[in-house]
Amino acid sequence: MTPAQLRAYSAVVRLGSVRAAARELGMTDSGVSMHIAQLRKELGDPLYSRGPSGLVFTPGGLCLAGRSAEILGLQRQTAIEVGQAGHGRRMLRIAASPLFAEHAAPGLVDLFASAATNLSVEVSVHPVRRFADLVASRAVDVALGPRAPDKRGQLSVCPFLHYEVLTVCAADHPLAHTSPPLSRLREQQWFLGPSAAAGDGPMRHMLRGLGIPDSHKRVFPSDASAIEAVRQSTALTVALRYAVGDELFDGTLGVVDGPDLRADGDWCATTLARRHLQPATTELLHIITTPHCRQAMTRSAGADITHYTPHTHVVRWN
């Protein structure tokens, strides 16, 4: 099996057709088909057939789909590590959920990168549902955010920070420090950051439970910008307790009470099994549970909106 064959097969699996795979890889359809034919011959397995609703994979084809992603990820990681080593540097690639990326990643990475030697850190923002595939394929070294579903049982999960989500409003809002009925909450305007509007953590689940109509939601590019807009309006929002702690203390924001208006969760570090980790990942797992690191993450709450772009943002610390 060659990397070119595995790339072709992985693209067919992911995109569902030879033509789409060829277009993505910049090849001809016949070139992709040739790679697939060579794999079938070498492995003695048809890998997949075409059914009425798309490709139907054999058990061997499904096995190769997972292995090809893992092998190609390992190849990419090796190329990066060799290149970094040749220049005396190492690379740590982190996938982060939108909420973690905005409120905790800056403090964590600043602390870790300043303590580690010859290290570059790359942070990319992804939905939690992609964590398992990103880590298993070695596209990233560690995923930070809510616990990721692991259907294959291949991953190691280390909880490191508990957090609480509150419903807040301007201090002079009529609902501040009250427990309004659900009907009243559904009448309100809600200003939401990306984690609450389209994430897959406690904020999103809480809003779904409340049944807030989409027509009453306005989405902002960051949680920080949503909170700032709420401070100057009659809207409500959901926020991390530690992100709005100063505003709650000085009275510029108020809490809307109620059992359905609070949620909590744990941020976790998701990695491969410990024996497969590169040294930089092991170093991160060691520091991430320390009180010093927890303080750095919570102190950095509310990154400046100009330095945060959800879903696609990649930041490197050197």
Side-chain angles (χ1 to χ4, degrees), residues 178-250:
T178 69
S179 299
L182 191 56
S183 58
R184 186 84 184 276
L185 293 170
R186 290 173 177 167
E187 296 171 352
Q188 305 301 310
Q189 197 66 27
W190 291 73
F191 290 173
L192 307 173
S195 302
D200 41 12
M203 287 184 173
R204 177 69 165 165
H205 294 157
M206 189 173 78
L207 286 170
R208 283 178 177 170
L210 294 173
I212 307 301
D214 288 344
S215 59
H216 288 199
K217 299 175 185 175
R218 182 179 172 190
V219 182
F220 287 73
S222 71
D223 289 345
S225 59
I227 293 168
E228 177 60 29
V230 162
R231 193 181 288 115
Q232 304 173 37
S233 71
T234 59
L236 308 181
T237 191
V238 289
L240 289 174
R241 174 184 284 276
Y242 74 75
V244 294
D246 290 345
E247 288 86 349
L248 294 176
F249 180 78
D250 64 23

Side-chain angles (χ1 to χ4, degrees), residues 57-88:
F57 291 88
T58 67
L62 292 174
C63 178
L64 181 61
R67 288 295 187 188
S68 61
E70 183 178 348
I71 292 169
L72 292 170
L74 183 59
Q75 181 190 35
R76 287 192 297 270
Q77 179 179 335
T78 301
I80 291 171
E81 291 177 356
V82 170
Q84 293 290 328
H87 294 85

Side-chain angles (χ1 to χ4, degrees), residues 19 41 58 78 131 139 141 148 167 174 206 218 220 222 234 253-254 267 282 304 310 314 318:
R19 176 166 295 179
K41 181 178 180 180
T58 67
T78 301
F131 278 8
D141 302 300
T167 302
M206 189 173 78
R218 182 179 172 190
F220 287 73
S222 71
T234 59
L253 288 177
W267 276 324
T282 303
D304 190 317
V314 175
N318 292 309

